[in-house]
Amino acid sequence: MKALFPHSATTGGITVRVSVTFLAEQSEPAKGRWFWAYHVRIENGGKSPVQLISREWMISDGRGGIHEVQGEGVVGEQPLIEPGGSFDYVSGCPLNTSTGWMEGQYHMVSADGRALAVAIPRFPLTAPAVTT
């Protein structure tokens, strides 16, 4: 699992795993645009269902600029994740530098109404070196 998802964090029985891929075909370094796709797997190792309600991201570019993103659900969904189950999605991130990072948290609610803030591990956004 570590090979597929090298970045992971566990909070209260919920594990968030992330893999990231640089998308050269969608990037235009000459125009100051780099693009990555990231694949997230959220695993419920707890004993009761949880629902992902919202997300908060901190995105940093290579110059240290921080952009915060908040919103409902992920990719238009507020998934209910059963015990032993998981939810996967893929999204993307453009930057105006060839390096940066992302991290954040998901806000979830358990079946008994408890609110959970679940950590999304920090992961690097690094474009491969380009030789001319």
Side-chain angles (χ1 to χ4, degrees):
M1 190 67 71
K2 178 110 171 110
L4 290 176
F5 295 96
H7 314 286
S8 68
T10 301
T11 308
I14 309 298
T15 299
V16 177
R17 301 183 192 279
V18 182
S19 67
V20 62
T21 305
F22 176 69
L23 299 179
E25 66 278 5
Q26 293 186 30
S27 299
E28 298 178 279
K31 294 181 179 178
R33 178 177 161 82
W34 290 265
F35 198 84
W36 291 264
Y38 56 91
H39 178 172
V40 177
R41 174 170 292 161
I42 305 164
E43 301 171 349
N44 183 354
K47 293 182 175 32
S48 64
V50 294
Q51 184 170 19
L52 192 157
I53 302 300
S54 64
R55 69 193 185 284
E56 287 182 38
W57 285 104
M58 286 182 55
I59 305 166
S60 176
D61 64 26
R63 295 181 192 100
I66 302 280
H67 180 67
E68 293 186 41
V69 177
Q70 298 179 352
E72 290 189 354
V74 289
V75 294
E77 297 185 53
Q78 292 182 317
L80 180 68
I81 307 168
E82 297 291 337
S86 64
F87 179 80
D88 284 66
Y89 73 95
V90 175
S91 191
C93 179
L95 283 183
N96 58 9
T97 61
S98 63
T99 61
W101 53 262
M102 292 178 66
E103 70 182 344
Q105 61 182 352
Y106 295 122
H107 296 281
M108 299 187 175
V109 176
S110 66
D112 63 7
R114 284 183 308 119
L116 305 163
V118 176
I120 304 168
R122 180 180 290 202
F123 55 93
L125 303 172
T126 307
V130 177
T131 57
T132 54

